[in-house]
Structure formats: C-alpha cells, structure tokens
Amino acid sequence: MRHKRTAGRRIALALLALTTSCGVVAGAAPATADAAVTPSLEFANPGSQALFGAAYAAALDNLLRTNTIGYDARYDKSGLLDPAVGLVRAGGGYDQPWTRDASVNSWNATSLLSPALAKNTLWAVVDKDAAGALRVQQDDQQWDQVVWVSAAWNHYLVTGDRQFLDNAYRAAGNTLTIREHATTAGFNTTYGLFTGPSFFNDGIAGYPAPPADATESVSTGSSPWPGVASGMYLSTNEVYYAAYVNAANMAERLGRPAAEIAGLRTKAVALKTAIDNHFWNRATGLYNYQLLADGSPGAYQEGTGLAFAILFGVADPAQARSILAHAHEMTWGMPDTYPHWDRYSAAQPGRHNAIVWPLVQGLWAKALARQGDQNGFASETARLAKLATGNSGFWEIYNGDTGVVDGGYQRLGDTVKFHWGSEPDQTWSATAFLDMVHTGLFGLTFTDAGLAFTPDLPAGWGDVTLRTLRYRAADLTIALHGAGATVGSFTLDGRAVAGNTVPATLTGSHRVEITLTGATGVDRDGDRVPDAQDRCADTAGTVAGCPAPGHLEAEDAYNTGGVKTNVNHTGYSGRAFLDGLWAQGAASSFTLHRTSDGATTGAITLRYANANNDTRTMTLSVDGRAVRQVSFPKVSGSWDDWGTATFADVPLTGRDPVVTLSYAAGDTGSINLDWLEYHGS
C-alpha cells in the first residue's frame, strides 16, 4: 500500500489549504446532478497526477458544478424535461443549452457521468411542430439539428434507456426529414451531398476566399454568405452520415420494419460514397475541407472533419493511416482549419482559422487513440491538460502557436480586424478532456451488451486508477497497469474475463484490473530521457527530464482562481505572462523538481509588474503551508515595465516541493507575474 504523498496531491492539498483560507472552496455538486459519487482519477506518477489528475478534477467541476444549472421551463418545449433535474449550459459566456453544445457535451461526458442531467439537456433542445411531432430545434445552422441524433444514440448505449430511445428515434426521424427537404442548407442531388456551413465553423473566419472575400464584407457569420450556404463541407456531411447510421441503429433496436431500417442504411452508404468521391484527395493524403457549388474543391485541412472521418468510419483503414501521416498539428494542438487564410496570420489568427479549440483537440485525440497512435494521443491530451492547468480551467479558444488564451480575429467589411475574447469555463472544452480520459486513456466503449475496454496508457504516465465511475447500476473502480494499448490481462473482481467487457446487467461495486503492454519507447518532450524513465514525460526540462527549478516561466505554472496567460503588455519573457492575480483565491503554483530530497532553505526570485501606486502583498506558501506574506514594490506607472523581488530562507523539503504565490486574506494582490527562479539545493 502506498502512503507517500505525490507532487500532484501536494499541489491539490496546497491549493485546498489556500482557498479554504480565502473562503472560496467549491461547494458540492448541485442537487440537479445525479446523486452518484463523482469519480476521481489517481496516477501513481506524481507528475502525471499534477498534470492530468488536476485537469480531470477541474473538468469535472466545470461540468457538474459551474455549468450545471437548474430546471428552466423556457427550455421544456418538448414536454419531456424532469423538473427535478437541471441541465448543462454552453459555458461561462453562454447561458443557454445550445443544440450543438448540448449534443457534444452529452456525447463527450454527461451521459456517462450524470445520465439524468444529460437526458434533460438533450430534451432541452427539442421542440414540437404545429402537429405536436418532436423535432430537434435549429439554433442557427443545420448541423445543430443533425449532430443531436448521434448524441442521442450514444446516450442510449451508455444508459440502456429504452423509453428515451423511443422518443429519440421519433425526434431523429422527423428532423432528418426536415433537413432532406430544406431549401436552404438541404440536399444537393447533383453531388449527393448536403449543403450549408461546416459543422464547427459558424463564423466566416473559418472559410477561405472564396467563399469569403478579403474583407469579410457580408457578415461575420457564415450562413449569410451565398457560397457557404450552397457549398458542401466535409464535417457536415460526416455528421449527416453518422446520423443516418445511428438512426438505423435506433430503428433496429426498437424493432422497426426492415424496410425502414434498410432505407436509412442505404442513405448512409450513398452519402459515405459521395464523401469519398468528392472530398478524398489522393495528392494530399487527406480529405478536402470544402466543395463549392460550381465544383471548385478546397484542399484545406478541417480538424473536426479529419477526426470524424476516423471516428465515424468514413475513412477506410488505409485512408485513416494516411490522415494520421499527413495531418498538420500546431504547437498546441490540432487547429480548427489550416493553413492561415491570406487575410489572417500567425500574429492575428482567425477566430476559426489556424487556432486551437479544445473541442477539436478532443475529437482528434479520440481519433488518435482509435488508430492506436499512442504518442499522438499522449501529446494531444497533455497539451489540453497544460492549457487547462495553466489558465485556471478550460477556456474557449487558445493561440495555436503560443497556447495563450486567445479568441482570434475577425472583421466586417473595411473596418479594422477586431479581436474576440475567449470565454472562460467553456463546457465542451472541459468535456473534451473528460472524453480524452474516458474513451482514450481507459478506452471505454459502450454497447448493448455492456462496457468494453480498449485502453491506451502511454509510457511515462504511470499506473492510473479511475475510482467510483458509475455505469448503469454498477460502481466501477478501473485500474490500468503497465503501458501500451495491448491488453495482457483483464480481471473483474480478481477473475479473468474474456472479451475485456463487463456486462450491462452488472450491479453494485466492482473492480476492473487491466495490465497493458506494447508501449512504444519514445521521448515526447525531447529531453533525451525515455518516457518510461522520465519524471516529467510531457514537459521538457533539464533536471532528470523535468524543468530546471533555476528558471520557471509563469505561464507553465499551475494556475487557479482566474489566473491566466496574457500578452497584452510588452517586456515579458517566454510565451506570455500571467494576469488574474487580482482577487482573493487567485494562485500560481510552481513545482520545483530538485536533484535532492533533503530539507533545506533557498531563495525565491519572482519577476513581476506592479503599476499600482503602492506596494502590493501576496502570500508565499510551500506545500500548502503559508511561509509568510511577501511584498512587491511599485515598479513604475506602466504595466510594460518589470522588476524582481527575492525572498530568502524559504524552507523546502522533498524532491518536488510546490511553491505557491496566492492572493490570500489580508493581501492586496493585483500584480502580473513573469517567471520564478529558485536558488538553492
């Protein structure tokens, strides 16, 4: 039995101690969520716990606390909501349960973690026509309605709820009929494809010219552009394909007539054939992004489209391998669309162009895991974990080159490009990470018969346990040992089980143990330490594979309470500086990976900006214990100027002590932070 406290737990306990003193500890999950115990993720490797474990906990909090709201009769147009259960909103800047968001979030995580909450959220975006028939509402564009079908099928597979399935099939059938007969964003019989904007790009910044123009003169949205409305896009047609497949699956489970089922499958096959004929580009080894009505192809990269091609089975095995070999990822993950359109640049990326949305990252990571690309999956998952732990949670959009919170640029007509904000607490960013863990790392695969496992544990992450995961009537603790994607042994409560599956009829508490082999020996962070021996396999550095404590950039710290990266002032080093140390509860934590583990004292130097008219104070803590209040004198009247403050005799113990700077009770805070240096043994 292990009793040694890991660095990840030390960070968590340190922050718990600090936030308790500031009165901002998060409360329990709201009563609108299911009563089941919230799962927890525990890594034996302290570095993995500090990165992935912390991100997982933050994602759970985002979904089940921050973005779970109470029942609202305004959203009960279907008449199927349970007034005793809440629903999931789109995020911090978006209070509604938009159709696309509701669907994606349920598919990613909510159906598993809180089935009643997911069901309410899915019904919250369904209404009725004049005759009382159920249909998925259309918020803005056609894919709002269509993606719901696949989310509803997934909800059934996770829960086994037959009553839900019956209503969902009626809503799906009515909705697909509406789309097939639509005069705008409908079906193009010439190409056998559906028209209208791409699944993810509701802004014109996500489209090249044509169909856009150099100044985006018509609208910032994509639907008003004639070329977009009549164009055909990869991801949209893949979403339709999946909807037909899953509607057929629904019909089959419900015992519908054979001709009805065959009709849906025939439409799916025809659409898949058309996608392959009109979008696959042998020259690039990828699917094209767009096909304009005049037949002009668009050999650009669409992140969701490439992910869907693998996840929905549009790509055959050879095409899937080609996609992985030729797709371009940016420094911080798979971009929405790529490359930069001529009207954008690395300095000013478009809001939907050459920029990273975590939702797209999550889909791509799932596709990588599906293809057995262990290193690609590990890298994409680590990127999102770093983006979340470095920015007080899950934001809407990040700069693909720097990882800084960035909403991207857009324009309307001849006006100067305007810079969008990136909203905090974005739900589908959080559920994207939850899905990386559940269906990527643990390989959870839901079927009528039960829950199957195809896990993928990268080398260097260490053994990991997912505790108290609720699956139908069972509470599961799932432990992964070793590394790789090949299952060496699979036991349920100590007994070997064939097929790596637990039955859907399982009840009560059970333990699943999986031993994995076949991990590839690589060095993801390029520090010349193999991942299997690397203390910090997903962070470059110079001390036993970890960042050297002699200089740690603040943007790489574990940040909470609203602290995030920014670049709106000059003079900082690295990729960015930190702002947000402006309210009680804000904190930045640095893990000092030392070469020794004995007790010692050392000096901490912080580079900061203070343009206030007075000296500001913060609390310096080590491993959750306050050392003392520290002062930061005014540097100048400009936030572009930086100074340093050194604090001697800071007590440290252990190989990985966590030093935290926080805005605690009695502090005045309100500084920006650039880097930390530790001088000692």
Side-chain angles (χ1 to χ4, degrees):
M1 182 177 295
R2 295 177 182 270
H3 296 284
K4 184 177 180 180
R5 183 181 296 174
T6 66
R9 290 173 180 160
R10 293 169 82 173
I11 287 181
L13 291 171
L15 292 174
L16 178 62
L18 290 166
T19 52
T20 300
S21 68
C22 299
V24 294
V25 167
T32 52
D34 292 14
V37 176
T38 302
S40 63
L41 187 67
E42 299 175 8
F43 285 88
N45 182 309
S48 296
Q49 185 63 29
L51 180 61
F52 302 113
Y56 185 80
L60 288 174
D61 188 65
N62 176 298
L63 173 63
L64 299 177
R65 188 185 68 85
T66 302
N67 287 314
T68 292
I69 60 177
Y71 168 84
D72 190 329
R74 291 177 300 169
Y75 300 120
D76 198 5
K77 297 176 183 178
S78 67
L80 294 171
L81 267 68
D82 182 348
V85 177
L87 47 92
V88 176
R89 65 174 184 166
Y94 311 107
D95 288 333
Q96 343 42 347
W98 285 336
T99 307
R100 182 176 55 167
D101 298 66
S103 303
V104 169
N105 288 324
S106 296
W107 179 27
N108 274 349
T110 319
S111 291
L112 173 62
L113 296 173
S114 184
L117 182 63
K119 183 163 67 172
N120 248 29
T121 303
L122 289 169
W123 289 134
V125 295
V126 172
D127 58 19
K128 295 179 178 179
D129 64 16
L134 292 171
R135 63 184 181 185
V136 182
Q137 71 183 25
Q138 183 179 349
D139 289 340
D140 183 19
Q141 295 169 355
Q142 77 288 354
W143 33 248
D144 281 320
Q145 297 178 296
V146 183
V147 70
W148 187 93
V149 180
S150 293
W153 171 245
N154 177 75
H155 184 79
Y156 164 72
L157 289 179
V158 174
T159 64
D161 188 336
R162 297 279 295 193
Q163 182 179 4
F164 171 85
L165 184 67
D166 183 66
N167 286 324
Y169 178 63
R170 290 189 286 118
N174 295 336
T175 301
L176 286 171
T177 299
I178 291 170
R179 296 275 26 109
E180 289 168 352
H181 295 87
T183 56
T184 301
F187 189 69
N188 184 317
T189 56
T190 300
Y191 295 100
L193 296 166
F194 283 90
T195 64
S198 77
F199 163 78
F200 195 64
N201 295 318
D202 47 9
I204 194 58
Y207 298 84
D213 60 31
T215 62
E216 298 181 351
S217 59
V218 174
S219 169
T220 57
S222 58
S223 290
W225 289 78
V228 174
S230 62
M232 290 146 283
Y233 292 88
L234 175 62
S235 59
T236 292
N237 280 278
E238 291 167 330
V239 167
Y240 273 97
Y241 166 72
Y244 281 124
V245 169
N246 291 325
N249 291 336
M250 291 179 181
E252 190 171 63
R253 297 306 187 277
L254 292 168
R256 303 293 298 177
E260 187 175 320
I261 300 167
L264 290 165
R265 296 205 186 281
T266 297
K267 291 178 180 179
V269 170
L271 187 53
K272 180 178 178 180
T273 300
I275 292 171
D276 200 57
N277 288 341
H278 296 295
F279 287 102
W280 181 252
N281 188 328
R282 293 183 180 179
T284 64
L286 301 169
Y287 286 96
N288 287 346
Y289 170 38
Q290 71 178 16
L291 175 67
L292 297 183
D294 64 3
S296 301
Y300 310 106
Q301 178 179 297
E302 181 193 20
T304 53
L306 297 183
F308 285 156
I310 294 172
L311 295 174
F312 295 153
V314 174
D316 64 30
Q319 289 172 320
R321 290 192 298 270
S322 180
I323 289 170
L324 264 60
H326 295 99
H328 178 88
E329 297 179 27
M330 300 184 74
T331 303
W332 284 92
M334 171 59 75
D336 177 6
T337 57
Y338 194 84
H340 291 286
W341 314 139
D342 289 343
R343 61 193 189 276
Y344 294 112
S345 65
Q348 294 186 335
R351 182 168 174 81
H352 288 277
N353 177 223
I355 202 165
V356 169
W357 292 68
L359 168 63
V360 181
Q361 285 185 289
L363 293 169
W364 181 241
K366 183 191 291 191
L368 291 167
R370 180 77 56 86
Q371 282 300 109
D373 186 343
Q374 299 170 27
N375 297 323
F377 165 72
S379 296
E380 196 70 30
T381 305
R383 288 165 181 154
L384 183 50
K386 291 175 186 178
L387 291 173
T389 57
N391 292 285
S392 298
F394 293 86
W395 290 71
E396 183 180 27
I397 319 173
Y398 301 87
N399 187 288
D401 292 322
T402 66
V404 174
V405 173
D406 185 355
Y409 288 78
Q410 204 160 9
R411 67 187 300 164
L412 178 59
D414 292 327
T415 59
V416 177
K417 292 192 187 88
F418 53 90
H419 197 187
W420 284 76
S422 177
E423 295 292 345
D425 298 321
Q426 188 74 4
T427 316
W428 64 19
S429 297
T431 63
F433 186 78
L434 293 172
D435 192 47
M436 287 174 166
V437 171
H438 296 152
T439 68
L441 175 59
F442 285 88
L444 305 184
T445 305
F446 302 95
T447 69
D448 275 330
L451 175 58
F453 295 82
T454 56
D456 190 338
L457 178 57
W461 284 20
D463 291 0
V464 57
T465 302
L466 183 62
R467 298 189 185 279
T468 60
L469 179 74
R470 185 77 172 175
Y471 168 61
R472 298 195 182 185
D475 284 305
L476 302 177
T477 292
I478 309 162
L480 303 182
H481 308 284
T486 301
V487 176
S489 66
F490 183 98
T491 63
L492 176 63
D493 299 327
R495 297 185 300 275
V497 175
N500 305 335
T501 301
V502 299
T505 55
L506 198 66
T507 61
S509 298
H510 300 273
R511 183 176 181 88
V512 174
E513 299 266 359
I514 306 173
T515 301
L516 296 161
T517 61
T520 53
V522 297
D523 174 19
R524 278 192 301 273
D525 56 10
D527 60 4
R528 300 183 180 181
V529 179
D531 292 343
Q533 289 81 45
D534 199 340
R535 285 169 65 194
C536 304
D538 292 290
T539 304
T542 58
V543 177
C546 297
H551 183 90
L552 299 173
E553 289 290 340
E555 61 269 23
D556 295 323
Y558 177 58
N559 298 302
T560 56
V563 182
K564 68 174 180 65
T565 53
N566 209 336
V567 292
N568 66 344
H569 296 295
T570 62
Y572 59 86
S573 69
R575 297 178 287 110
F577 65 89
L578 296 180
D579 68 7
L581 288 160
W582 297 76
Q584 284 195 18
S588 294
S589 293
F590 299 81
T591 300
L592 306 183
H593 297 290
R594 302 168 60 214
T595 55
S596 61
D597 58 7
T600 187
T601 59
I604 299 292
T605 298
L606 290 158
R607 189 172 192 248
Y608 70 96
N610 176 13
N612 298 292
N613 290 324
D614 57 356
T615 295
R616 293 292 163 141
T617 59
M618 303 285 286
T619 294
L620 183 69
S621 302
V622 177
D623 294 334
R625 298 181 297 276
V627 174
R628 60 179 178 269
Q629 188 179 67
V630 292
S631 298
F632 297 89
K634 176 180 178 179
V635 177
S636 77
S638 171
W639 289 101
D640 295 327
D641 294 333
W642 300 84
T644 60
T646 298
F647 312 111
D649 301 321
V650 177
L652 302 176
T653 188
R655 217 174 164 203
D656 301 291
V658 178
V659 174
T660 300
L661 190 71
S662 65
Y663 189 156
D667 292 330
T668 54
S670 302
I671 63 171
N672 291 337
L673 192 61
D674 189 27
W675 50 249
L676 175 147
E677 291 182 348
Y678 166 70
H679 304 284
S681 60

